[in-house]
Amino acid sequence: MKKIAVFPGDGIGPEITAAACGVLETVAELAGMEIDLQQGLVGGAALDVHGDPLPDESLQLALGADAVLLGAVGGPKWDGHPPRQRPEQGLLRLRKGLDLYANLRPAQIFPQLLDASPLRPELVRDVDILVVRELTGDIYFGTPRGVEIQNGLRRGYNTMVYDENEIGRIARAAFEAARGRKRKVCSVDKANVLETTRLWREVVTEVAGEFPDVALEHMYVDNAAMQLIRCPAQFDVILTGNMFGDILSDEASQLTGSIGMLPSASLGNGRGMYEPIHGSAPDIAGRDLANPLATVLSVSMMLRHSLAAAVWADRVEDAVRAVLDRGLRTADIASPGVASIGTRAMGESVVAALQQGEWA
Ligand code: IPM
Ligand code: MN
């Protein structure tokens, strides 16, 4: 019996996780896999009930699970809250509490969606990027941090910090991932200005010595942001820190047409949490408009990385392809003037494709 903790979260979170859980339950049924889905509260949903964005019972639920599925957190309702009482803190504490230091964010092109990309098709056709983002360090967690008054002026500060162990383990994750791909790692930093990332470059170079079969290149983050638009097909694995990875993965998502298509896996020490890279989209919450495919594809990553069911991971991806082949689109990936379907219908279409055995 595999225990899966499910945290729908806020905004569109409940809708997209419901669709993805439908897919997961279908796979379990077809594969004869016993799963037990247990829901928990995180983010604003937890704040509303417990006054805490990550109540202890939620952390315990996640710690005791074989895998975690998460929707999205945050929303205008809690925007005025002090930093520690914000929904995002629930997510960050969950990542930290599970020590999920390796965030894998694949940006793949579905040929059916080439038109949805804001870039010309010939630029994005061959894009297949894996962003490996460090997830439990950097300026996100560094101290000291705060806002204070100094000499009558309000002053805000954060600390960008990495030690060599933190850099070494994420670098190894990136090099290992590259071995299953095109064996190219591009490490992104700002070593021309920031000491922290000078150390990053040094340690990544040292770790590269353990992987002579993988090519390593270093790139400054500003240049990387430009190259992602200029010539995105040059990248295989992009290895970077928490902050740069947050930004570059949103950028990479646009190559594929919609951030609604990008899944992620957050891994560390045998644990795994799976979530779409997009946010809670409060503007379309509760209206059956959100694209559930990023979350469905996150379930595929869960099958691959936590449930030892790579065959079924492939089949979920094939089912998504089959649905796209059939022209089914949520609003975010529909061409102008073309009819779109809702969150629920999209989830049900993937389920139907799985049931009909529509995999290659
Ligand atoms: C993401 C999100 C989070 C992050 C927020 C919600 C804290 O943007 O997963 O990319 O910054 O990591
Ligand atoms: Mn982000």
Side-chain angles (χ1 to χ4, degrees):
M1 174 73 78
K2 298 285 187 190
K3 260 204 253 170
I4 318 287
V6 181
F7 298 104
D10 310 318
I12 58 171
E15 298 161 78
I16 55 176
T17 44
C21 284
V23 170
L24 181 56
E25 279 164 339
T26 303
V27 167
E29 214 176 284
L30 294 170
M33 187 191 295
E34 281 198 71
I35 57 168
D36 176 19
L37 303 181
Q38 294 188 10
Q39 288 222 3
L41 294 175
V42 73
L47 270 169
D48 284 351
V49 176
H50 298 281
D52 180 351
L54 182 68
D56 192 50
E57 61 189 67
S58 294
L59 178 61
Q60 294 309 325
L61 177 65
L63 282 167
D66 293 291
V68 180
L69 182 69
L70 191 133
V73 298
K77 179 174 176 193
W78 308 280
D79 272 350
H81 282 205
R84 250 173 278 278
Q85 291 288 310
R86 291 186 60 106
E88 291 81 1
Q89 276 304 312
L91 176 57
L92 296 177
R93 281 167 49 201
L94 197 52
R95 290 171 177 170
K96 190 80 171 173
L98 299 175
D99 199 18
L100 304 170
Y101 62 86
N103 184 210
L104 312 185
R105 299 189 157 188
Q108 266 175 6
I109 300 296
F110 286 90
Q112 302 90 333
L113 300 182
L114 267 181
D115 286 348
S117 174
L119 295 194
R120 290 195 306 277
E122 65 267 28
L123 277 178
V124 290
R125 187 169 288 125
D126 298 320
V127 165
D128 181 4
I129 300 173
L130 178 67
V131 178
V132 178
R133 169 192 179 194
E134 202 288 329
L135 203 58
T136 51
D138 202 351
I139 196 163
Y140 268 59
F141 292 94
T143 52
R145 62 193 297 160
V147 178
E148 61 188 24
I149 296 180
Q150 208 177 62
N151 303 326
L153 282 183
R154 284 174 299 166
R155 184 173 165 272
Y157 53 97
N158 289 90
T159 304
M160 181 184 234
V161 53
Y162 269 124
D163 71 35
E164 57 181 318
N165 289 342
E166 291 173 304
I167 302 167
R169 65 181 186 171
I170 190 66
R172 283 187 189 90
F175 283 105
E176 257 146 37
R179 279 191 166 155
R181 303 171 48 94
K182 289 185 228 134
R183 296 175 182 259
K184 269 168 53 177
V185 170
C186 176
S187 172
V188 172
D189 61 39
K190 189 69 185 175
N192 51 345
V193 178
L194 303 172
E195 286 82 352
T196 314
T197 72
R198 201 142 59 218
L199 175 67
W200 176 280
R201 189 174 281 221
E202 221 172 277
V203 175
V204 170
T205 305
E206 287 160 18
V207 170
E210 302 165 24
F211 298 84
D213 53 322
V214 178
L216 169 66
E217 141 188 61
H218 300 280
M219 200 179 275
Y220 296 137
V221 62
D222 48 350
N223 185 26
M226 179 180 73
Q227 296 296 336
L228 264 175
I229 302 298
R230 198 189 71 84
C231 178
Q234 70 183 283
F235 295 105
D236 179 23
V237 173
I238 293 179
L239 159 65
T240 192
N242 205 345
M243 175 81 153
F244 297 158
D246 180 45
I247 298 165
L248 293 179
S249 59
D250 264 35
E251 189 186 354
S253 77
Q254 278 310 296
L255 306 172
T256 73
S258 171
I259 196 166
M261 294 298 297
L262 258 70
S264 83
S266 306
L267 308 173
N269 314 301
R271 293 183 192 285
M273 179 160 85
Y274 302 84
E275 48 174 319
I277 82 157
H278 60 69
S280 59
D283 52 323
I284 57 166
R287 294 165 55 198
D288 197 40
L289 281 174
N291 184 349
L293 292 180
T295 321
V296 168
L297 293 166
S298 300
V299 162
S300 164
M301 293 188 87
M302 176 191 290
L303 289 162
R304 194 180 306 284
H305 295 284
S306 288
L307 302 179
V311 169
W312 286 96
D314 291 342
R315 286 175 181 173
V316 169
E317 285 172 18
D318 288 340
V320 168
R321 271 183 219 114
V323 162
L324 294 175
D325 276 341
R326 214 173 295 144
L328 299 175
R329 303 281 187 273
T330 43
D332 59 312
I333 50 174
S335 307
V338 173
S340 53
I341 62 172
T343 311
R344 209 169 308 139
M346 185 55 103
E348 284 163 3
S349 307
V350 176
V351 164
L354 279 165
Q355 282 166 342
Q356 286 152 26
E358 283 189 48
W359 53 74

